[in-house]
Amino acid sequence: MRAFLAAVALFAAGPALADGERAGEFDYYVMSLSWSPNWCRMEGDARDSEQCDEDFGWVLHGLWPQYHRGWPAYCPTTQRQPSRQQTAEMADIMGTSGLAWHQWKKHGVCSGLSASAYYALSREAYGTVNRPEVFRKLDKAVKLPASVIEEAFMKANPGLEKDMVTVTCQDGFIQEVRVCLSRDLSPVPCGRDVVKDCRMKDALFEPIR
């Protein structure tokens, strides 16, 4: 009985992170965009991150290979690790070279691509989604419904449907916008385990620094 209950609890917890899966075998991508001023308030300032010294807005957190249920991570790969120059060249859209390295190590290796090709695809994905300029015009912190962020992205990107984008919150702040993309970077519906829409009506949103 104890073993049965443990199995039920494991199933109810939802899809687990699948470490060490075969590289290149996945269904679609999740592109995660983080609002840099909020991240700096939550974590970056305490880390003395160089990202927080710049006027970043929506930065690329990562481009994540995804299954229809669950996701791979830390896949074995024969691809060469990215050079310091390659990770440094991603800092203009990712905030820091350290994040670029971490994203390759955890997610990029599962794409089946070389580091240079993965970074190029990540940059292309970042460029395919219009980031609403209205948020850069804020001159003070505001509280707003998370749904406003989602609606702004759909308005700026007519090809995006409600089931293709989700907004997450953390510690009372808007955290990320996640957009689901096919392997050729066309918008696609997100899996159920990806859609985690924040329901907050008064989420904090910091202005550009």
Side-chain angles (χ1 to χ4, degrees), residues 38-39 41-43 168-175 198 200 202-205:
N38 285 0
W39 178 81
R41 274 289 305 277
M42 290 188 291
E43 300 180 40
T168 67
C169 296
Q170 180 180 328
D171 299 333
F173 287 86
I174 296 293
Q175 180 193 26
C198 174
M200 290 187 66
D202 58 350
L204 289 165
F205 199 89

Side-chain angles (χ1 to χ4, degrees), residues 1 5 9 14 18 27 31 39 42 45 47 51 63 69 77 80 86 110 119 144-145 163 167 174 190 202-203:
M1 176 62 73
L5 292 175
D27 298 308
M31 181 178 66
W39 178 81
M42 290 188 291
D45 289 338
R47 297 183 187 181
Q51 175 177 328
L63 184 67
R69 182 176 174 83
T77 182
R80 295 179 61 181
Q86 286 176 308
C110 295
Y119 286 146
L144 43 69
D163 62 352
V167 177
I174 296 293
C190 302
D202 58 350

Side-chain angles (χ1 to χ4, degrees), residues 139-180:
D139 58 5
K140 62 181 179 180
V142 297
K143 291 184 177 181
L144 43 69
S147 60
V148 168
I149 307 295
E150 184 176 282
E151 290 165 4
F153 267 83
M154 289 192 294
K155 183 176 181 179
N157 298 273
L160 277 184
E161 302 291 342
K162 191 172 179 62
D163 62 352
M164 299 173 178
V165 58
T166 189
V167 177
T168 67
C169 296
Q170 180 180 328
D171 299 333
F173 287 86
I174 296 293
Q175 180 193 26
E176 294 183 343
V177 172
R178 296 175 181 175
V179 180
C180 296

Side-chain angles (χ1 to χ4, degrees), residues 33-38 55-61 92-93 126 130-133 135-136 149 153 167 174-177 205 208:
L33 302 174
S34 171
W35 183 249
S36 183
N38 285 0
D55 63 345
F56 286 116
W58 295 105
V59 296
L60 177 66
H61 181 177
D92 65 316
I93 63 170
Y126 183 75
N130 294 320
R131 298 168 297 283
E133 283 294 320
F135 300 118
R136 295 191 65 92
I149 307 295
F153 267 83
V167 177
I174 296 293
Q175 180 193 26
E176 294 183 343
V177 172
F205 199 89
I208 293 291

Side-chain angles (χ1 to χ4, degrees), residues 41-104:
R41 274 289 305 277
M42 290 188 291
E43 300 180 40
D45 289 338
R47 297 183 187 181
D48 197 25
S49 173
E50 61 194 52
Q51 175 177 328
C52 301
D53 296 330
E54 304 293 336
D55 63 345
F56 286 116
W58 295 105
V59 296
L60 177 66
H61 181 177
L63 184 67
W64 307 334
Q66 189 82 16
Y67 301 134
H68 290 308
R69 182 176 174 83
W71 57 90
Y74 301 107
C75 301
T77 182
T78 58
Q79 299 289 346
R80 295 179 61 181
Q81 300 297 334
S83 66
R84 290 186 178 182
Q85 179 179 345
Q86 286 176 308
T87 57
E89 288 173 348
M90 293 299 292
D92 65 316
I93 63 170
M94 298 188 77
T96 66
S97 60
L99 177 60
W101 163 252
H102 174 74
Q103 290 300 307
W104 162 258

Side-chain angles (χ1 to χ4, degrees), residues 181-196:
L181 302 170
S182 68
R183 294 175 70 129
D184 65 1
L185 304 183
S186 299
V188 295
C190 302
R192 287 186 300 172
D193 56 323
V194 171
V195 178
K196 299 177 180 178

